[in-house]
Amino acid sequence: MNRTSGARLCATAAIAALSLSLLTACSEEGSKDSADSKTSASASASAPAAASDAKALTTAELQKLLLAQGDLKGYKVEADESDKTTKSAVKVDKAACAPLAWATNGLPPGDTEANATNSLAEDKGTAATAQPEDLEDAFNLTMTFVGLSSYEADGAEKTIKALSDGVTGCAGGYGFTTEGETSKVTKVAAEKGSGKGDEAVAFAQDIVVEGQTITAHTEVIRKGSTLATLFTMNITALTKGGDMGAIPVAVADAQIAKLK
């Protein structure tokens, strides 16, 4: 299959699913050229604790707090209509790394069932109707996947700590399997986050897919008892290898502004 067709298939799959295991599936249709990713890491922020009597929001309430079409100019919002991956389907070879794997598989990074997800993509027109010479630019877009999860009592703070500990403890990498698809993370590094919310953990992961390295960026931001998990996917990087792109500040700003 040629690269253009592979990119189209990967784009469709990427919009439909929230999972790092998608990287493995899409790479089989993309370029086999390898690329070394480069990351610039720095420590994330720490912040005050929330009230211990905090109540978790329901999934229905979280869905209303997700960014909707029209909330952010220049972006299209896609509802998450894919089948949900369960935590039991994500097998991680290091327990401390599980919250990192969950966060980048569209799952709550902590102990809760209250979770809602969607994705935002730069509005570059309809790739399906683009001319061949425009396809490369049409697919050179970054999608940002957003997951909201909510926790009882101090569950949100504990989850942020678990993520922070995981970034440190899993710096040398880890492996995980999602529904039969195995991924290898070779490096985890802290990054400077958006500075939004009450506290946040931001990190980059280098993932080897079909012999090439892809760098994915994730940030989990706490606002009271709710966590917003954001990570990026770039279609060009998905097919060729390389950096998936930073989380757009505008997306983080707009999403956190909707949280109460």
Side-chain angles (χ1 to χ4, degrees):
M1 180 174 292
N2 63 42
R3 184 171 297 172
T4 297
S5 298
R8 183 181 294 111
L9 288 174
C10 289
T12 301
I15 292 172
L18 284 169
S19 174
L20 271 183
S21 61
L22 176 66
L23 300 176
T24 302
C26 283
S27 70
E28 294 173 357
E29 300 295 342
S31 170
K32 300 302 181 181
D33 296 335
S34 63
D36 293 328
S37 61
K38 298 180 180 179
T39 7
S40 175
S42 61
S44 296
S46 60
S52 60
D53 61 350
K55 299 297 183 183
L57 299 177
T58 65
T59 294
E61 289 172 325
L62 291 174
Q63 288 173 338
K64 293 178 181 179
L65 292 174
L66 284 169
L67 288 173
Q69 188 63 45
D71 284 347
L72 185 57
K73 185 178 181 180
Y75 285 84
K76 290 183 177 180
V77 177
E78 296 283 345
D80 177 27
E81 299 176 352
S82 61
D83 292 334
K84 295 288 187 179
T85 298
T86 63
K87 286 185 177 179
S88 62
V90 180
K91 309 297 183 183
V92 186
D93 62 8
K94 296 180 182 178
C97 308
L100 307 182
W102 294 335
T104 44
N105 273 277
L107 295 165
D111 185 15
T112 183
E113 296 300 321
N115 185 39
T117 58
N118 69 0
S119 64
L120 292 88
E122 299 168 274
D123 191 352
K124 290 191 174 184
T126 305
T129 60
Q131 296 300 312
E133 61 269 20
D134 300 327
L135 284 173
E136 183 174 354
D137 180 66
F139 285 115
N140 186 23
L141 58 85
T142 298
M143 292 178 291
T144 305
F145 297 97
V146 180
L148 298 181
S149 55
S150 196
Y151 303 79
E152 297 287 345
D154 61 351
E157 297 98 300
K158 287 181 177 179
T159 301
I160 288 289
K161 184 178 186 307
L163 286 162
S164 181
D165 291 345
V167 171
T168 301
C170 304
Y174 65 96
F176 70 90
T177 301
T178 306
E179 297 178 346
E181 296 289 345
T182 298
S183 298
K184 179 64 177 178
V185 177
T186 60
K187 177 183 177 182
V188 180
E191 293 193 305
K192 182 178 180 180
S194 63
K196 301 300 177 181
D198 298 322
E199 59 181 332
V201 175
F203 56 94
Q205 298 185 94
D206 285 358
I207 309 141
V208 177
V209 181
E210 293 293 328
Q212 63 188 17
T213 300
I214 294 172
T215 300
H217 302 271
T218 305
E219 182 173 12
V220 182
I221 305 168
R222 181 176 72 81
K223 182 69 173 179
S225 63
T226 298
L227 299 181
T229 301
L230 303 94
F231 64 94
T232 58
M233 184 175 293
N234 179 276
I235 299 303
T236 298
L238 192 64
T239 58
K240 296 181 179 180
D243 198 294
M244 301 292 273
I247 296 167
V249 174
V251 174
D253 285 351
Q255 182 57 79
I256 298 306
K258 289 196 72 170
L259 301 183
K260 299 178 181 179

